[in-house]
Amino acid sequence: MTDPAPQPTYDYDLFVIGAGSGGVRASRIAAGYGARVAVAEEYRVGGTCVIRGCVPKKLLVYGSHFAEELQDAANYGWSVENLKFDWATLRDAVLRDVDRLNAAYTNTLDNNKVEHFLERATIAGPHTVKLASGREITAKVILVATGGWPVMPTFEGAEHAISSNEVFHLEALPKRVVISGAGYIAMEFAGIFNALGCQVTVVNRSETILRGYDASLRDRLLQITMARGIQYRFNCGIERIEKQADGTLLTHLKGQSDPLPADVVLVATGRRPKTDGLGLENAGIVPGSHGEIVVNDLAQTACPSIYAVGDVTNRIQLTPVAIREGHAFADRVFGGKDTRVAYDCVPSAVFSQPPIASVGLTEAQAREKLGNAVKIFTSDFRPMKNIFGHRPERGLYKLVVDAQSDKVLGVHLIGPEAPEVLQGAAIAVKAGLTKADFDATVALHPSMAEELVLMR
């Protein structure tokens, strides 16, 4: 009788490439199951959301809201004199919070005994990663969680434009901002700069903003932002950027003779999976058509020992989704639990001004699926918050309902604090509650949220 072949030994049970939200969660949970874990991050621990995305951007949104709040203060009896805004103060406060969060995420790794390498790592083989220093490390399982990266154009003068990565580090508040794109990143920064007093022009290749969101919300946001002074150039793109002698920029648009003067040109036309130079070919992994890592429902790639989670897979590019994917991966591979991620009923928000929040099917999606067996309920109202502000802006809440089962298929909101209101409604949609369940719930008055249970 022959002895069984010795099992291969590895430096780690799990090596994670990328210390963003998904990678850190996977590392922590796997280490909690007793795995020997290491993670490599080439920039800062925390990932896009914490370092250069949703968290610092939301802080800028809060900062910009004070322009409106302070203007309204007099109508509430407050005397506010000598109003002045200092961009550097807000910028530096935001960057300090990024430093705090970077330290907090690093402490999370340390507290869970996860070793971390602050350098780039690439895949050298099915069980091998190579650090930028040249060191090669082996692992039984490799997890790729490198996230996404802004898509930048190749037109003449593109080097004068910035992406959402750099916008947090502007030396001064620009007077004129041209934003290329009309997705959530573009619309959020358009609202921020507009509220802070900048002249904002949004340039978009189509005539649709926030593609994928319910049309009623998109139309309402377009009306409100135009009334607030944001200008739009639809059905065109940037042809070239010309830098002037005084440092300002002339943005030439395709098919239009009048260039747009700007102090900053922000390109926000999307993000793509960050897989360039990652060495996927060394493990026989072929990227998808958008550069993404293709995985099955277990987050496993074509190489059985390599997995991927988060934006690098190009499924749903949201931080909470990446966290759930990282957690589920660790549960399955190291915890012996068959944890899966449900991709239906994932709520999302756009922190535009006013914000949008949605969960479930849009009206168009529901009609495509069910035909005429769809009921739509809406509440078009003036938020109480706006009454003393002398703004005619109106909120819009919308329920998409299956006419046969009475099940609420989607909830779509635009108005002050819409994301805060939606989280509770998302639970109801996920639970499969009906319009009758909404109707049977007593309203919380006075609130905007009560509109959800008063639609008839």
Side-chain angles (χ1 to χ4, degrees), residues 147-151 270-276 290-292 311 314 317:
W149 201 252
V151 174
R271 297 172 61 83
R272 69 185 304 273
K274 193 177 181 184
T275 55
D276 293 344
H290 294 92
E292 77 275 15
D311 291 2
N314 203 36
Q317 294 190 6

Side-chain angles (χ1 to χ4, degrees), residues 158-203:
E159 68 274 12
H160 303 308
I162 65 171
S163 74
S164 56
N165 287 354
E166 295 80 41
V167 73
F168 301 103
H169 302 274
L170 292 175
E171 287 296 320
L173 182 68
K175 294 180 179 179
R176 302 160 299 179
V177 181
V178 171
I179 299 177
S180 176
Y184 74 95
I185 295 175
M187 295 307 298
E188 288 172 343
F189 278 113
I192 290 167
F193 285 121
N194 171 256
L196 293 177
C198 309
Q199 177 185 318
V200 178
T201 304
V202 174
V203 177

Side-chain angles (χ1 to χ4, degrees), residues 287-329:
S289 59
H290 294 92
E292 77 275 15
I293 297 180
V294 179
V295 295
N296 60 20
D297 61 350
L298 300 177
Q300 193 173 38
T301 71
C303 178
S305 59
I306 299 180
Y307 296 74
V309 297
D311 291 2
V312 76
T313 67
N314 203 36
R315 288 178 287 186
I316 299 180
Q317 294 190 6
L318 292 172
T319 295
V321 173
I323 291 172
R324 290 213 167 206
E325 289 177 347
H327 198 132
F329 154 80

Side-chain angles (χ1 to χ4, degrees), residues 438-444 453:
F438 276 61
D439 295 343
T441 303
V442 176
L444 193 161
V453 301

